[in-house]
Amino acid sequence: MFNKILIANRGEIACRVIRTARKLGVRTVAVYSDADENAMHVAMADEAVHIGGPASRDSYLVFERVIEAAKQTGAEAIHPGYGFLSENADFCNACKENNIVFIGPPVGAIEAMGSKSAAKNIMGEADVPLVPGYHGEDQSRDIIKKAADDMGYPVLLKAAAGGGGKGMRQVWKEEEFDEALAAAKREAINGFGDDTMLVEKYLTQPRHVEIQVFCDQHGNAVYLFERDCSVQRRHQKVIEEAPAPGMTKEIREAMGQAAIRAAQAIDYEGAGTVEFLLDKDGSFYFMEMNTRLQVEHPVTEYISGQDLVEWQLRVASGEKLPLTQDQLQINGHAFEARVYAEDPDNDFLPVTGTLSFLQPPVESENVRVDTGVRQGDEVSIYYDPMIAKLIVWDEDRDKALSRLTKALSEYRISGMTTNLDFLYNLANSKPFREADLDTGFIEKHNDAIFHSGEQEVARDLPLAALYLVLYREQIASQKASLSPDRHSPWNTTSAWRLNEQHIQEFSLILRDQEYPVKVEQLTAEPTRYSITCNNKTIDAQGVLIDKSTLRSNIDGYQVNATVTHHDDLFSVYTPDNALTFSVAKPDLGDLDMDASGGGLTAPMNGTMVTHLVEAGAGVKKDDALCVMEAMKMEHTIVAPADGVVKAFYYQPGELVDGGAELLDFERNN
Ligand code: ADP
């Protein structure tokens, strides 16, 4: 085993690797950029070396600096985590040249799988089934287009060097081909510096099922079963689980064997993942092999009882695989939910900010939180907006799912919009509970997940109001108990009036809509209220069992809700959905700056990528005007109406603050 390793990564995965290294008595070296000087991974490591500026191309991607840091600290091996340099053949070579062990596969395997097109050729030869498509070297537009036309639409364009759903575009009809090709190429150049494309038949309802494989340097290979990663947005995984629901023994074995053939075809060593699309009829097709540890590896760890980072370190230091195929078993069921700083109501655009309050659920045998941030840390524009991975385990899928929703309802984050409500609603939705999974899950079940229905609002609004009133009363009585004059009328926040009933009026905001609320305390019974909102007056009773559990009876419907609250935001979690309200600030006049209709301000902090029209051009409503990028995700800004683009305020390459005016737009009358 190594004495000291360097982790060429940041965030949760760097912390994750450090934890196992520590367990094994291996010392750790972190590397960090200017933006990460005080980051959690830096604090956790035994040593840390500064390697450059905040943008990853100036630090985490500069492999010469990483190698230098390893040499300077005497690290014998480098764990690359995922992303960054983890699948970079040049980096792997540079490690070798400097006598540093790369904790991952040999360079030949990375090269073979580095290009999705080349990988397909190899897999075809190893008898691994492929999705029909074109993955040739001739990259002329006409050849790719002809392949698409011949196959028939829909097709999927993919960057050969791609990953993480970037550089990928669905094309539903021929007319969309050119724009999609241009966008995919642009994203590929920005993300990977290579715009080689392949095109595949787009399967409309497949599941994404992947096999974890492990190989050692002694010719042994095993598979640690599958993960179902069908629930995706923007082709990126959101909730993963293991084992895959409904998986038969036969398909599991066939897939496992195909994955091992795939790994052995490229003389694999270490941890790898072979991704397949699983069609309704049980046939499966190779998509790609990721030659590194996956983000979602913890679900496999839970069901197999193994520590995959430990396996990686053992294999890289020359040991044999800890177990044989016969010794591996599936035990129970695990889920992973990726908690992101992003806005599900705004096309999942990444958001940035400071984590002003952060309280994950309590960890236990059944609940694990892998994170790389602490309260007070920034989610910046420079890196992936993932805040944490929440992983749960139990004996079967139903029980594990209950663990997941409970843990999600206990997660408290303030300072930025997150996808927590979305995850909760998704995990609670009927189709997810019934495991009706395919890669179109989110689009298909949009209504069930987003709960934008009046019904939920009508039910949760009084709950939020009731919570707010009870919470304010609790604070008031706490304050009063500390005060020398406990009965002073100044120590109450209920709207106390001499000889009048207690009435509080305020407004709650949900998805930009303001709901005025009036809560009247019925003096005869202190726990009873009359709540008027949404043009209805209802009878409500409630008590706070603890800081965040509200026992309520709203017009004869009794429910225990979890309510989390920080600053002005209240998230109400009922047994089947989650809604976050904010308390409206007192009206200070018209502060609406966004009179243009919202389309022309930057939706997030990011970079201007390209202008799609010239300044001075006349455009039609919904024409694409320019493209912004944040955290490697592109977002197209479209014209809000017919009009003229008079000027762009930002040139390609310039950084743009979220909310900034992007261009001068004049509407046609
Ligand atoms: P990346 O490396 O960018 O993650 P993948 O090739 O792994 O890209 O594909 C990511 C996701 O895109 C898959 O999980 C699946 O949902 C979808 N996908 C990929 N290829 C196809 C296809 N041919 N048909 C339908 N969906 C696909």
Side-chain angles (χ1 to χ4, degrees):
M1 184 49 68
F2 310 110
N3 284 315
K4 193 192 265 188
I5 62 170
L6 180 143
I7 298 106
N9 216 302
R10 63 178 303 284
E12 69 87 16
I13 192 59
C15 299
R16 160 76 194 87
V17 174
I18 293 173
R19 263 196 304 278
T20 289
R22 234 189 229 164
K23 181 180 85 180
L24 299 176
V26 176
R27 300 184 67 76
T28 53
V29 183
V31 288
Y32 66 94
S33 71
D34 288 339
D36 278 340
E37 192 172 357
N38 298 311
M40 185 167 161
H41 76 282
V42 174
M44 277 178 74
D46 295 311
E47 297 166 69
V49 182
H50 174 247
I51 52 165
S56 29
R57 62 172 177 277
D58 297 326
S59 48
Y60 297 105
L61 288 173
V62 187
F63 65 75
E64 294 83 357
R65 301 232 180 104
V66 175
I67 298 269
E68 200 41 53
K71 283 168 57 178
Q72 181 192 325
T73 52
E76 299 139 77
I78 296 183
H79 194 303
Y82 52 73
F84 294 138
L85 297 168
S86 61
E87 292 174 292
N88 184 316
D90 294 336
F91 176 61
C92 185
N93 267 328
C95 287
K96 207 167 169 186
E97 280 159 19
N98 287 281
N99 280 325
I100 298 168
V101 176
F102 176 76
I103 303 175
V107 69
I110 297 182
E111 277 165 355
M113 294 296 110
S115 153
K116 288 185 204 255
S117 335
K120 290 194 161 209
N121 291 329
I122 299 173
M123 291 307 147
E125 275 168 33
D127 235 5
V128 180
L130 303 176
V131 190
Y134 171 77
H135 39 91
E137 273 175 25
D138 189 335
Q139 284 289 306
S140 63
R141 174 248 177 217
D142 292 353
I143 292 275
I144 301 176
K145 169 119 190 324
K146 181 165 187 315
D149 291 346
D150 289 351
M151 247 180 314
Y153 293 84
V155 299
L156 189 64
L157 289 165
K158 281 189 190 177
K166 285 150 212 151
M168 197 148 88
R169 282 288 187 284
Q170 291 161 25
V171 193
W172 291 92
K173 38 185 197 284
E174 191 180 344
E175 304 85 79
E176 292 169 1
F177 181 88
D178 283 311
E179 199 185 320
L181 183 66
K185 277 179 172 279
R186 209 165 40 232
E187 228 170 84
I189 279 284
N190 277 337
F192 323 106
D194 173 357
D195 65 357
T196 310
M197 286 287 145
L198 57 99
V199 59
E200 277 176 5
K201 181 80 200 148
Y202 185 69
L203 306 180
T204 46
Q205 288 195 322
R207 282 164 69 181
H208 173 124
V209 177
E210 58 184 34
I211 301 279
Q212 175 72 57
V213 289
F214 240 104
C215 306
D216 63 18
Q217 300 170 10
H218 310 278
N220 301 307
V222 296
Y223 63 92
L224 289 98
F225 318 109
E226 77 281 357
R227 296 181 282 259
D228 192 314
C229 311
S230 301
V231 178
Q232 306 177 342
R233 51 111 185 75
R234 291 172 174 266
H235 293 297
Q236 285 187 315
K237 300 158 187 169
V238 181
I239 295 189
E240 302 97 340
E241 61 184 293
M247 188 69 156
T248 63
K249 192 163 169 281
E250 290 71 34
I251 301 179
R252 174 173 296 133
E253 255 173 45
M255 257 192 190
Q257 291 309 332
I260 287 189
R261 278 203 302 284
Q264 288 182 329
I266 54 169
D267 297 324
Y268 204 75
E269 282 167 28
T273 295
V274 186
E275 298 187 332
F276 295 101
L277 287 174
L278 174 62
D279 222 346
K280 284 235 174 321
D281 62 0
S283 41
F284 56 86
Y285 307 97
F286 171 83
M287 240 187 320
E288 63 168 343
M289 178 166 185
N290 291 322
T291 53
R292 54 168 162 83
L293 194 68
Q294 299 272 94
V295 177
E296 59 275 18
H297 75 276
V299 291
T300 300
E301 298 191 313
Y302 253 144
I303 62 152
S304 66
Q306 304 302 313
D307 177 338
L308 296 191
V309 174
E310 178 177 343
W311 279 45
Q312 284 191 297
L313 297 187
R314 292 198 182 286
V315 164
S317 64
E319 293 181 31
K320 286 195 173 151
L321 287 179
L323 296 175
T324 61
Q325 193 68 56
D326 293 346
Q327 292 170 318
L328 284 162
Q329 283 184 25
I330 297 180
N331 178 23
H333 200 97
F335 286 98
E336 174 182 280
R338 301 189 189 190
V339 181
Y340 280 104
E342 66 179 19
D343 187 358
D345 289 330
N346 189 12
D347 203 17
F348 298 99
L349 282 183
V351 300
T352 53
T354 303
L355 293 157
S356 57
F357 185 75
L358 180 64
Q359 187 180 301
V362 177
E363 291 192 71
S364 67
E365 272 185 0
N366 299 80
V367 177
R368 163 174 166 185
V369 179
D370 281 15
T371 188
V373 288
R374 297 156 301 186
Q375 185 164 306
D377 286 351
E378 286 274 316
V379 174
S380 73
I381 62 162
Y382 298 111
Y383 313 113
D384 188 272
M386 191 165 74
I387 296 170
K389 305 186 309 202
L390 172 64
I391 312 110
V392 299
W393 178 93
D394 213 316
E395 285 163 10
D396 58 43
R397 188 175 192 272
D398 285 348
K399 287 186 184 154
L401 192 49
S402 300
R403 296 252 179 217
L404 179 65
T405 51
K406 180 166 181 292
L408 283 168
S409 75
E410 290 166 358
Y411 220 122
R412 280 135 221 211
I413 301 174
S414 303
M416 64 197 65
T417 308
T418 71
N419 65 342
L420 277 173
D421 288 6
F422 167 79
L423 290 171
Y424 184 85
N425 289 334
L426 196 165
N428 251 326
S429 67
K430 191 161 171 279
F432 191 75
R433 273 187 272 129
E434 290 171 355
D436 177 15
L437 304 175
D438 67 65
T439 56
F441 183 91
I442 291 177
E443 291 87 43
K444 195 160 94 188
H445 301 298
N446 202 56
D447 292 346
I449 301 168
F450 278 88
H451 284 282
S452 45
E454 302 272 305
Q455 223 184 330
E456 282 82 14
V457 177
R459 194 191 51 199
D460 290 358
L461 196 58
L463 280 176
L466 192 57
Y467 174 85
L468 184 61
V469 167
L470 292 170
Y471 173 77
R472 284 176 174 174
E473 281 175 9
Q474 200 177 51
I475 294 294
S477 68
Q478 277 167 2
K479 250 168 85 184
S481 68
L482 294 174
S483 144
D485 178 6
R486 282 201 257 157
H487 303 291
S488 156
W490 305 114
N491 284 324
T492 171
T493 55
S494 62
W496 181 85
R497 301 272 189 291
L498 205 60
N499 299 327
E500 270 182 44
Q501 284 164 320
H502 295 182
I503 295 177
Q504 295 192 46
E505 288 186 76
F506 47 86
S507 285
L508 295 175
I509 300 173
L510 173 72
R511 298 196 192 100
D512 295 333
Q513 177 149 355
E514 196 164 323
Y515 298 90
V517 184
K518 188 165 107 181
V519 183
E520 193 173 322
Q521 187 170 9
L522 304 175
T523 37
E525 283 179 64
T527 62
R528 285 194 53 197
Y529 300 84
S530 161
I531 300 179
T532 308
C533 55
N534 248 355
N535 305 320
K536 240 180 113 186
T537 299
I538 47 174
D539 231 22
Q541 256 181 301
V543 275
L544 284 183
I545 301 172
D546 56 48
K547 217 170 93 205
S548 57
T549 312
L550 170 68
R551 177 166 295 162
S552 68
N553 182 337
I554 305 270
D555 243 355
Y557 169 68
Q558 293 201 22
V559 67
N560 277 356
T562 302
V563 188
T564 68
H565 146 233
H566 201 256
D567 298 337
D568 298 337
L569 293 179
F570 290 79
S571 297
V572 179
Y573 297 91
T574 54
D576 52 18
N577 76 295
L579 286 179
T580 294
F581 298 90
S582 59
V583 186
K585 299 231 173 9
D587 192 2
L588 300 175
D590 188 8
L591 290 177
D592 184 10
M593 318 250 283
D594 196 10
S596 64
L600 304 175
T601 50
M604 70 257 186
N605 290 344
T607 312
M608 175 63 71
V609 176
T610 183
H611 299 161
L612 298 173
V613 297
E614 306 258 317
V619 293
K620 292 249 168 295
K621 183 172 189 302
D622 292 332
D623 276 358
L625 305 181
C626 59
V627 178
M628 275 191 69
E629 187 222 67
M631 299 166 191
K632 301 202 189 90
M633 222 107 81
E634 283 199 354
H635 185 73
T636 305
I637 309 294
V638 300
D642 294 359
V644 178
V645 176
K646 300 187 79 179
F648 285 100
Y649 297 138
Y650 293 88
Q651 295 311 308
E654 277 188 90
L655 286 179
V656 184
D657 285 336
E661 285 279 328
L662 291 173
L663 46 95
D664 183 2
F665 186 79
E666 192 176 272
R667 286 163 195 260
N668 290 349
N669 289 321

